[in-house]
């Protein structure tokens, strides 16, 4: 069976198996492992000794027989993306470290460290495809090998490590320590190599918790070579079958028809991975249905962006970019790489990079302002947004900037013509619920976002579920609704659960921040309503509701335009005056505050103004 952990947000499927060296299938499996290792070690010609004269790849070692082999994949039936080997004392005479040091020095070193050859395992040949190196597979495979050695009774692990790319420092994060006096240049690897030792008694290092977790699941990951998908017949048959169906998908994608019927009020896209047999069949059925009216396939451009975002130096050489893209594909057909996403409401079918690669490229320009580790932290947060009129700008800004990977959206209202002066929407969206509209637009930015919608708005019946139920509790609330009862009731829940609240008032750039996570006894709305509770705000007249909202936003500080408009609401004005520029500014202000709060940066409670009328007045110019 495969073990499916999650590291850096990516689920990895790992198979562990041991080869005795008997039987045709095991011989074929060894051949495939050696070819995989050699191709990765060749590394675009960096280590030419792993390339054969006929253009193939070779890394033949007798040590493969009798060793444990670990193969990592993104999907259970996907291509191998990484590998590591664990050799047991039974084949100790063949250990690379013994050959590297010589038998006498090897055994002397073990004695100096307090270990015997019969209790020492060897860890070697950790290789990972380029496209998976920044996604955590190397960390997981390394931890798995250590966990397996501990489970099998190892008292120590030893191995050789390269140094040119910091591999030795990578191993140190797991508790391996370099042996003084063992570093030297090795021609085959074209770099300095050093011996490293790991004491297995107690997991140490940055990834000790992962090692302990995997030690208990190692037995469940053990399979035969055939079950690992590396035997010749089984793999070849699977490849033939998938190729036939995938080819049919490619051919059908080129001849799709245009749909003329209207889209339903759905908001969740459908994902297809045509590397999976069922997804292939489902995609063919969709294409044959006539529901797809447009196909967008820019995967080649996306691949170029991916490799150049990883290494911007490639931009100066089209040939280098092409080589990097070819390596990224790893032999796969470009039409089968990544996933296809269908948006039922528009009838569009879009070809995209896999999730982690897509997000890496999509947020690449965040770097310098939000680093990769911070981006992952933000994607792990869940944000609640109440009121998707002014709140729609916040929702879309959060989605674009990567502030939150999960969202809960609540609004009972539907898009009307008068909303088009400030909401990013088209006339074809009229009548659509506002939180459904926002969810669609957010998922068109990132189709992997986890979004729950509350199209009935926030009520007493849905309040608890919105804050704590469903997929989990929210980490931050953006409150942008117009109903006094909901504004106060939401804050009462947020304070009780120690959830911070941010709000933009769409006038003079007012930003409100309430850090209930740090101040659980802080008065609601900074005490502007005194002891008023949500129960006091039920069944208000229109005039009473306006008065309460003006108290909330501090009527003495509102803009002259809004002051003049208030008396006209309900007579010459249908509702509160709002402009798209103010809504857009609100999205920026709430996003900036939320990013600081969720990253643990200073952002105190308070009320702040970014008054563009004042800030851009003649007297504020910085020019002489």
């Amino acid at each position: 069976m495969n073990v499916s952990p999650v590291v850096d947000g990516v689920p990895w499927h790992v198979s562990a198996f041991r080869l005795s060296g008997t039987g045709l299938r095991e011989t074929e499996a060894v051949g495939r492992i050696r070819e995989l290792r050699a191709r990765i070690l060749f590394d675009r010609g960096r280590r030419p000794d792993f390339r054969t004269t006929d253009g193939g790849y070779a890394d033949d070692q007798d040590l493969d027989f009798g060793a444990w082999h670990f193969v990592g994949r993104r999907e259970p039936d996907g291509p191998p993306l990484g590998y590591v080997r664990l050799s047991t004392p039974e084949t100790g005479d063949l250990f690379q470290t013994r050959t590297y040091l010589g038998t006498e020095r090897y055994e002397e070193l073990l004695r100096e460290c307090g270990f015997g050859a019969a209790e020492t395992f060897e860890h070697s040949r950790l290789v990972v495809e380029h496209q998976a190196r920044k996604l955590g597979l190397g960390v997981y495979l390394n931890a798995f090998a250590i966990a397996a050695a501990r489970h099998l009774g190892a008292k120590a692990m030893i191995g050789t490590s390269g140094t040119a790319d910091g591999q030795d420092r990578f191993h140190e994060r797991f508790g391996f320590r370099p042996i003084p006096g063992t570093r030297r240049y090795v021609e085959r690897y074209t770099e300095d190599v050093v011996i490293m030792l790991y004491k297995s008694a107690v997991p140490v290092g940055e990834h000790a918790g992962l090692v302990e977790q995997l030690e208990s699941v190692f037995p469940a990951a053990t399979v035969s070579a055939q079950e690992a998908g590396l035997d010749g017949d089984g793999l070849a048959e699977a490849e033939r079958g998938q190729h036939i169906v995938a080819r049919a998908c490619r051919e059908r994608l080129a001849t799709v028809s245009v749909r003329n019927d209207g889209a339903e009020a759905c908001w969740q896209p459908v994902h297809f991975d045509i590397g999976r047999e069922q997804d292939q069949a489902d995609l063919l059925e969709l294409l044959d249905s006539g529901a797809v009216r447009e196909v967008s396939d820019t995967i080649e451009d996306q691949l170029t962006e991916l490799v150049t975002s990883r290494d911007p130096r490639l931009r100066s050489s089209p040939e280098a970019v092409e080589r990097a893209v070819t390596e990224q594909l790893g032999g796969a057909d470009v039409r089968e790489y990544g996933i296809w996403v269908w948006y039922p409401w528009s009838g569009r079918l879009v070809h995209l990079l896999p999730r982690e690669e897509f997000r890496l490229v999509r947020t690449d320009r965040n770097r310098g302002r939000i680093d990769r580790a911070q981006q992952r932290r933000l994607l792990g947060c869940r944000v609640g947004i109440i009121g998707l009129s002014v709140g729609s700008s916040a929702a879309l800004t959060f989605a674009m900037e990567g502030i939150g990977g999960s969202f809960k959206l609540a609004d009972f209202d539907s898009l009307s013509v008068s909303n088009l002066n400030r909401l990013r929407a088209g006339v074809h969206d009229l009548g659509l619920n506002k939180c459904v509209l926002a969810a669609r637009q957010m998922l068109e930015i990132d189709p992997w976002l986890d979004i729950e919608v509350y199209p009935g708005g926030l009520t007493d019946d849905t309040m608890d579920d919105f804050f704590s139920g469903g997929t989990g509790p929210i980490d931050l609330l953006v409150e942008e609704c117009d109903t006094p009862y909901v504004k106060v009731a939401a804050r009462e829940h947020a304070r009780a659960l120690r959830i911070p609240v941010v709000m933009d008032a769409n006038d003079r750039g007012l930003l409100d921040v309430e850090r209930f996570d740090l101040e659980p006894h802080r008065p609601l709305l900074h005490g502007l309503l005194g002891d008023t509770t949500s129960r006091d705000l039920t069944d208000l007249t229109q005039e009473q509701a306006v008065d309460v909202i003006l108290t909330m936003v501090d009527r003495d500080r509102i803009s002259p335009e809004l002051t003049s408009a208030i008396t006209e609401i309900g007579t010459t004005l249908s509702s509160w005056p709002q402009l798209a520029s103010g809504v857009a500014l609100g999205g920026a202000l709430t996003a900036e505050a939320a990013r600081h709060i969720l990253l643990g940066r200073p952002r105190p409670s308070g009320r702040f103004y970014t008054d563009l009328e004042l800030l851009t007045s003649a007297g504020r110019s910085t020019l002489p």
Side-chain angles (χ1 to χ4, degrees):
M1 87 183 261
N2 286 306
V3 172
S4 178
V6 174
V7 176
D8 285 346
V10 182
W12 295 112
H13 299 265
V14 174
S15 301
F17 53 95
R18 193 175 190 182
L19 296 175
S20 64
T22 61
L24 177 61
R25 290 188 183 277
E26 290 201 346
T27 301
E28 290 176 340
V30 166
R32 289 174 180 271
I33 287 170
R34 290 171 172 174
E35 182 180 3
L36 170 71
R37 290 191 319 228
R39 180 172 52 78
I40 298 174
L41 286 166
F42 179 68
D43 196 14
R44 308 176 190 174
R46 174 180 166 186
R47 302 182 185 93
D49 283 358
F50 290 94
R51 195 72 182 262
T52 61
T53 55
D54 61 0
Y57 301 93
D59 181 32
D60 297 348
Q61 292 186 314
D62 291 339
L63 192 58
D64 289 324
F65 296 106
W68 282 93
H69 304 268
F70 303 86
V71 177
R73 295 174 169 86
R74 177 172 287 169
E75 303 293 344
D77 55 353
L81 295 176
Y83 165 89
V84 67
R85 180 176 63 196
L86 178 67
S87 300
T88 65
E90 286 88 339
T91 56
D93 289 344
L94 300 175
F95 280 7
Q96 291 184 148
T97 44
R98 183 185 289 270
T99 302
Y100 179 91
L101 293 171
T103 297
E104 184 176 345
R105 175 63 184 129
Y106 171 81
E107 294 179 351
E108 179 185 14
L109 186 153
L110 290 183
R111 286 195 300 271
E112 290 172 354
C113 296
F115 300 108
E119 54 191 12
T120 302
F121 287 51
E122 185 179 67
H123 159 287
S124 59
R125 285 300 192 263
L126 174 64
V127 293
V128 178
E129 295 278 18
H130 275 278
Q131 66 265 33
R133 290 181 184 177
K134 294 186 178 181
L135 302 180
L137 179 55
V139 169
Y140 187 76
L141 284 171
N142 216 40
F144 209 117
I146 296 170
R150 283 174 47 81
H151 180 87
L152 295 169
K155 294 295 187 293
M157 293 178 68
I158 197 167
T160 57
S161 173
T163 59
D165 296 324
Q167 303 99 310
D168 52 335
R169 295 190 300 274
F170 170 82
H171 290 301
E172 285 182 18
R173 291 163 53 196
F174 290 84
F176 280 88
R177 292 293 176 260
I179 303 298
T182 62
R183 178 167 175 160
R184 69 169 184 266
Y185 183 79
V186 176
E187 183 69 30
R188 179 171 172 77
Y189 301 110
T190 66
E191 63 183 302
D192 281 1
V193 170
V194 66
I195 300 293
M196 305 194 76
L197 186 75
Y198 175 89
K199 299 180 180 181
S200 308
V202 179
V204 295
E206 181 179 330
H207 303 291
L210 180 60
V211 171
E212 287 187 304
Q213 174 193 346
L214 294 178
E215 186 175 353
S216 62
V217 302
F218 163 64
T222 59
V223 297
S224 67
Q226 182 176 0
E227 290 170 322
L230 291 167
D231 63 296
D233 293 341
L235 188 59
E237 185 62 33
E239 288 173 348
R240 282 196 296 271
Q242 288 185 7
H243 176 70
I244 291 170
V245 181
R247 183 177 60 193
C249 286
R250 294 197 303 272
E251 293 171 351
R252 188 68 186 86
L253 281 167
T255 60
V256 294
S257 59
V258 176
R259 186 191 68 168
N260 294 316
D261 60 313
E264 297 179 358
C266 56
W267 51 273
Q268 292 175 310
V270 182
H271 296 220
F272 299 94
D273 179 354
I274 61 174
R276 297 177 175 177
E277 186 174 349
Q278 185 59 53
D279 281 13
Q280 293 169 6
D282 291 343
L283 181 55
L284 280 174
E285 183 178 351
L286 172 65
L287 293 169
D288 288 334
S289 72
V292 178
R293 71 171 181 84
E294 180 183 331
V295 174
S296 173
D297 186 358
T298 61
I299 194 66
E300 293 179 358
D301 293 337
Q302 294 173 49
L303 284 162
T304 296
E305 275 199 281
L306 174 64
V307 300
T308 54
S309 65
R310 285 174 171 164
D311 186 355
R313 295 169 297 182
L314 294 175
R315 297 177 190 273
S316 62
S317 171
E319 293 80 10
V321 170
E322 185 177 353
R323 287 194 301 271
V325 169
T326 299
E327 183 173 334
Q328 180 71 29
L329 288 170
D333 186 288
V334 69
R335 295 291 171 262
E336 298 175 35
Y337 191 83
I339 70 157
W340 291 84
V341 180
W342 182 50
Y343 294 96
W345 53 90
S346 66
R348 294 187 177 95
L349 181 65
V350 186
H351 193 183
L352 296 174
L353 294 168
R355 182 183 65 178
E356 303 308 320
E357 294 168 10
F358 172 83
R359 283 178 165 170
L360 184 147
V361 175
R362 198 188 73 75
T363 61
D364 184 59
R365 296 289 292 274
N366 284 359
R367 289 193 298 164
R369 300 294 298 275
I370 309 173
D371 64 32
R372 293 291 188 211
Q374 292 171 331
Q375 199 75 64
R376 288 193 295 270
R377 181 173 174 179
L378 290 171
L379 279 171
C381 295
R382 182 175 287 103
V383 176
I385 304 178
I386 307 171
L388 273 302
S389 183
V390 173
S392 67
S393 178
L396 294 177
T397 304
F398 281 40
M400 286 187 282
E401 202 162 294
I403 303 173
S406 301
F407 294 86
K408 294 184 178 184
L409 311 178
D411 198 316
F412 65 87
D413 201 11
S414 297
L415 183 74
S416 63
V417 174
S418 63
N419 296 142
L420 294 177
N421 80 319
R422 61 194 185 280
L423 264 72
R424 178 181 172 270
V427 293
H428 59 284
D429 295 313
L430 292 171
L432 189 64
N433 179 271
K434 290 178 181 177
C435 59
V436 171
L437 172 62
R440 287 182 176 183
Q441 294 175 341
M442 295 164 74
L443 288 160
E444 287 173 347
I445 295 168
D446 183 344
W448 287 276
L449 292 175
D450 175 14
I451 301 179
E452 296 177 78
V453 299
Y454 293 75
L458 207 59
T459 67
D460 290 337
D461 292 334
T462 60
M463 192 79 71
D464 288 339
D465 187 72
F466 181 87
F467 277 93
S468 304
T471 57
I474 60 174
D475 300 297
L476 178 135
L477 175 66
V478 180
E479 188 281 296
E480 298 291 352
C481 72
D482 297 330
T483 307
Y485 170 79
V486 175
K487 294 176 84 71
V488 173
R491 282 172 171 79
E492 289 171 342
H493 275 72
R495 183 171 63 180
L497 297 169
R498 303 189 68 163
I499 295 169
V501 179
V502 297
M503 176 188 73
D504 162 68
N506 197 233
D507 182 62
R508 294 190 61 208
L510 186 160
L511 172 70
D512 222 41
V513 178
E514 295 170 275
R515 295 300 303 271
F516 297 128
D517 54 326
L518 303 179
E519 304 167 84
H521 303 295
R522 184 178 181 82
L524 304 183
L525 287 158
H526 317 294
L528 291 171
L529 292 182
D531 296 329
T532 301
T533 68
S534 59
R535 291 191 301 274
D536 301 322
L537 301 175
T538 58
D539 302 321
L540 297 179
T541 65
Q542 175 66 21
E543 190 174 304
Q544 290 171 327
V546 170
D547 184 67
V548 170
I549 290 176
L550 287 175
T551 302
M552 290 179 180
V553 299
D554 193 349
R555 69 183 74 231
D556 294 333
R557 290 181 177 272
I558 62 176
S559 65
E561 294 86 356
L562 184 57
T563 301
S564 300
I566 289 170
T567 58
E568 302 298 320
I569 295 174
T571 55
T572 63
L573 296 177
S574 60
S575 187
W576 300 91
Q578 295 175 317
L579 295 177
S581 54
V583 171
L585 176 61
L589 293 174
T590 53
E592 180 76 7
R595 175 157 49 85
H596 279 73
I597 291 170
L598 294 173
L599 289 176
R601 294 175 174 174
R603 183 62 69 196
S605 296
R607 178 159 288 179
F608 312 92
Y609 289 88
T610 306
D611 189 340
L612 296 183
E613 184 75 19
L614 175 64
L615 294 176
T616 59
S617 61
R620 301 299 292 269
S621 173
T622 61
L623 296 177

